[in-house]
Amino acid sequence: MDRAIRAKALHFPGSNAGSMTYFDDGVLLIRDGTVVDFDDASRLESKGFDLGQCESYPEHLLMPGFIDPHIHFPQWDVVASFGTRLLEWLETYTFPAERRFADPEFAEVAAEEFCDGLLAAGTTTAMAYSSSHAVATEALFRAAERRSMRLLTGKVLMDQNAPDGVRDVMPAAISESEALLKAWHGRGRLGYVITPRFAGTSTPEQLSAAGELFARYPDAWVQTHLSETIEEINWTASIHPSAKDYFGIYEDAGLANARAMMGHCIHLTAEEIRRMAGSGAAAIFCPSSNLFLGSGLMPYERLMEAGIPVGLASDVGGGPQICLLHTMADAYKVLQLQGYPLSAKEAFFQVTKGNAQVLQIDSFVGDFTPGKEADFILIDPEKSPEVSRRVARAQTIDERLFALMMLGDARVIAQASTLGQCRISKRSEGT
Ligand code: GUN
Ligand code: ZN
């Protein structure tokens, strides 16, 4: 065995939150970067495993690494920018920040910091937007590869309604995307995401060329934004007047199937929800961003009931914090306003196995069934006085998890490992 980690431990081996398996004294066995076994310590001992080999963290919580299905690599520097809603926020803060990523040296340093920032926050896998620059996209792939992270990203496509320095041109935008895809998609743990930013910043020609690219590489992904604010919806309709509705723009371009991730989906009509469910496209719930930018309350339960796969994401920099524990806390608050109390079980399911399922990478990551890639985190509640105080009074694992999601932050992430190798460790090692 390469590593044996002993701690309080949980995962979701099934396809829903109800499948949670929790061990007060669990062990994760890893060889060659993959999970060999995950079980109760005494059961493993009775199978002949020598518990003396374990790295032991009796008060830590071991779980699969978090998966963030919607985050913007070039926006980490503009989180917490004051006073604007989506369209003005893009113009005022976001596009100027993204312009800097044309510089390969700047992008290289930023990519290193971004990947370390993800790991320090417990996120071992992400689907990220790059900027519109190939150099920044390559820098992010390289930084993820150096850390053996499973990372999906793509160059942002935007050939209209964006300033010089971030606006791209056709047909070069598509040939650049294809060259990146050919170089990086399926290389180790990396994957390419065809990334038209949103309908407002792409011409109909660019959207259909992106759809044609997707048709040629159906095992790539698509990511874009959909129906985030009322102002954006009206503006988009004026730019694409012949489309039936906002979702119809992506549908017509061939950008809506089960490998397409639609950020936000707050204000969809009943008709759009029906067609989106039929397409298999996923909706990505970004509660922190939706609160911060004042975009609205995503109808999570309604979309799920309609049969749309729903992921849960930080959306940094619309969302201010990179740690998905904050996202879970904001999801709870947004859903409280809609009469749907989000359980800790469901929230932790969402950021691990649920997001893996939505991204269609659950055969690789998301839980600890044997053969899965060994991406895991160790959480130390003692690292946060607020969490530690509340957890001390918790009677059940559900209560502990709820305290962790409502009060936790990146401080409690003691260690993050990818493919069984420790990439970030913030405290002294176990015994
Ligand atoms: N819509 C188009 N681009 C963006 C972006 O960068 N962030 C968010 N939240 N919405 C968008
Ligand atoms: Zn976004």
Side-chain angles (χ1 to χ4, degrees):
M1 215 54 60
D2 295 334
R3 281 184 85 183
I5 318 289
R6 184 174 183 182
K8 300 182 193 304
L10 65 81
H11 76 155
F12 299 88
S15 59
N16 57 43
S19 70
M20 185 169 98
T21 305
Y22 171 72
F23 303 118
D24 243 335
D25 183 10
V27 177
L28 177 66
L29 299 183
I30 299 162
R31 190 186 303 121
D32 296 333
T34 57
V35 174
V36 173
D37 209 343
F38 174 60
D39 210 340
D40 187 69
S42 58
R43 210 155 31 230
L44 277 177
E45 194 171 33
S46 67
K47 287 192 227 167
F49 177 73
D50 170 15
L51 292 175
Q53 298 177 39
C54 291
E55 300 163 45
S56 285
Y57 305 88
E59 296 310 320
H60 287 34
L61 183 63
L62 166 70
M63 68 174 74
F66 297 154
I67 298 172
D68 192 339
H70 184 127
I71 182 165
H72 295 259
F73 156 51
Q75 293 179 15
W76 205 18
D77 289 342
V78 285
V79 294
S81 294
F82 175 75
T84 54
R85 291 163 65 102
L86 176 64
L87 298 179
E88 198 188 343
W89 174 81
L90 287 171
E91 290 287 338
T92 313
Y93 302 112
T94 312
F95 293 153
E98 295 195 7
R99 187 182 296 135
R100 302 176 72 190
F101 286 72
D103 173 354
E105 280 164 32
F106 179 86
E108 194 78 28
V109 173
E112 294 289 313
E113 291 173 357
F114 181 71
C115 288
D116 282 342
L118 285 171
L119 291 167
T123 299
T124 50
T125 288
M127 178 178 279
Y129 287 67
S130 178
S131 67
S132 45
H133 314 101
V135 287
T137 314
E138 286 167 334
L140 182 54
F141 275 130
R142 276 195 300 271
E145 189 172 58
R146 280 195 275 272
R147 293 159 179 79
S148 295
M149 294 172 76
R150 187 164 276 283
L151 185 114
L152 317 171
T153 190
K155 172 204 129 49
V156 161
L157 292 161
M158 50 175 169
D159 66 342
Q160 67 171 354
N161 299 320
D164 290 351
V166 292
R167 199 177 57 254
D168 58 18
V169 289
M170 289 292 288
I174 295 294
S175 38
E176 263 187 332
S177 300
E178 185 167 8
L180 286 164
L181 187 156
K182 282 184 173 162
W184 295 97
H185 185 63
R187 172 167 155 170
R189 309 186 79 196
L190 308 174
Y192 197 78
V193 193
I194 299 163
T195 307
R197 175 176 217 113
F198 65 161
T201 49
S202 284
T203 57
E205 296 70 44
Q206 186 172 64
L207 291 175
S208 25
E212 282 157 22
L213 184 64
F214 190 30
R216 277 188 279 129
Y217 298 94
D219 67 340
W221 288 264
V222 163
Q223 62 184 346
T224 190
H225 297 86
L226 171 63
S227 207
E228 184 173 357
T229 73
I230 301 292
E231 190 194 1
E232 169 219 13
I233 293 166
N234 294 334
W235 176 68
T236 306
S238 73
I239 295 168
H240 298 274
S242 59
K244 185 187 281 178
D245 47 37
Y246 199 161
F247 180 68
I249 301 171
Y250 299 132
E251 225 177 7
D252 291 349
L255 291 166
N257 69 22
R259 293 179 77 81
M261 307 296 136
M262 307 279 163
H264 305 295
C265 301
I266 298 172
H267 308 284
L268 295 174
T269 63
E271 165 64 11
E272 284 175 301
I273 291 174
R274 189 185 64 72
R275 298 206 317 278
M276 189 165 159
S279 76
I284 310 296
F285 179 29
C286 306
S288 308
S289 169
N290 301 158
L291 292 170
F292 182 77
L293 293 173
S295 304
L297 306 177
M298 196 246 220
Y300 174 88
E301 193 180 10
R302 183 165 173 224
L303 298 189
M304 299 261 257
E305 278 176 357
I308 295 175
V310 180
L312 178 60
S314 72
D315 191 29
V316 157
Q321 290 106 352
I322 201 166
C323 181
L324 282 165
L325 292 167
H326 290 288
T327 308
M328 294 154 85
D330 285 338
Y332 180 80
K333 294 167 197 163
V334 165
L335 296 181
Q336 272 293 76
L337 285 168
Q338 303 181 60
Y340 181 95
L342 178 72
S343 70
K345 243 185 214 153
E346 182 168 348
F348 277 95
F349 168 77
Q350 281 285 18
V351 299
T352 56
K353 185 67 172 285
N355 282 338
Q357 289 178 171
V358 165
L359 293 175
Q360 306 209 327
I361 53 174
D362 52 309
S363 57
F364 305 108
V365 289
D367 66 49
F368 291 146
T369 52
K372 294 272 167 87
E373 297 165 349
D375 289 356
F376 66 86
I377 55 174
L378 279 161
I379 293 180
D380 179 2
E382 293 300 315
K383 282 291 184 183
S384 154
E386 297 83 7
V387 175
S388 127
R389 187 176 182 83
R390 183 62 186 86
V391 160
R393 290 174 182 276
Q395 308 283 324
T396 62
I397 180 62
D398 296 82
E399 252 189 273
R400 284 173 67 94
L401 290 174
F402 189 63
L404 200 54
M405 87 181 216
M406 295 311 298
L407 305 171
D409 54 47
R411 284 175 299 171
V412 301
I413 309 297
Q415 191 188 117
S417 288
T418 62
L419 295 185
Q421 301 269 321
C422 180
R423 310 290 169 187
I424 292 274
S425 177
K426 300 185 207 161
R427 56 171 296 146
S428 54
E429 296 305 315
T431 51

